Amino acid sequence: FIHSSHDNVISPKNSLKLWTSSNDHEKCKLWIGPPCRHGCLAMYQDKLYKKKVGKFIERALTARPVCTA
């Protein structure tokens, strides 16, 4: 979950509730980012956004599969 701390459309509390209700906080991550408008975090915090999302994707791609076919 990625949310700006000052989202003017959807409260960051919504992401916090969803993350809290998840059963695996190792796979399910929450980032409440710096203040900016709804949907603008990637634009105004591009370096930090790319770092956070890139790290998440890298972990997901290198994780061991849960099941095999």
Side-chain angles (χ1 to χ4, degrees), residues 19 24 28-29 35-36 38 44 52-53 55 64:
W19 178 78
D24 190 346
C28 183
K29 299 296 181 187
C36 66
H38 180 79
Y44 292 115
K52 294 273 190 182
V53 173
K55 190 174 179 181
R64 292 176 21 147

Side-chain angles (χ1 to χ4, degrees), residues 4-43:
S4 166
S5 61
H6 286 74
D7 192 318
N8 60 334
V9 177
I10 300 170
S11 171
K13 291 178 183 178
N14 291 344
S15 287
L16 181 59
K17 285 179 185 179
L18 290 170
W19 178 78
T20 301
S21 69
S22 72
N23 60 0
D24 190 346
H25 290 161
E26 277 302 309
K27 292 180 183 175
C28 183
K29 299 296 181 187
L30 171 66
W31 174 41
I32 304 293
C36 66
R37 291 188 336 253
H38 180 79
C40 295
L41 198 55
M43 183 173 25

Side-chain angles (χ1 to χ4, degrees), residues 43-60:
M43 183 173 25
Y44 292 115
Q45 299 291 328
D46 62 323
K47 289 180 184 177
L48 185 56
Y49 183 90
K50 288 176 185 175
K51 179 181 174 183
K52 294 273 190 182
V53 173
K55 190 174 179 181
F56 176 82
I57 291 172
E58 184 179 324
R59 273 195 312 264

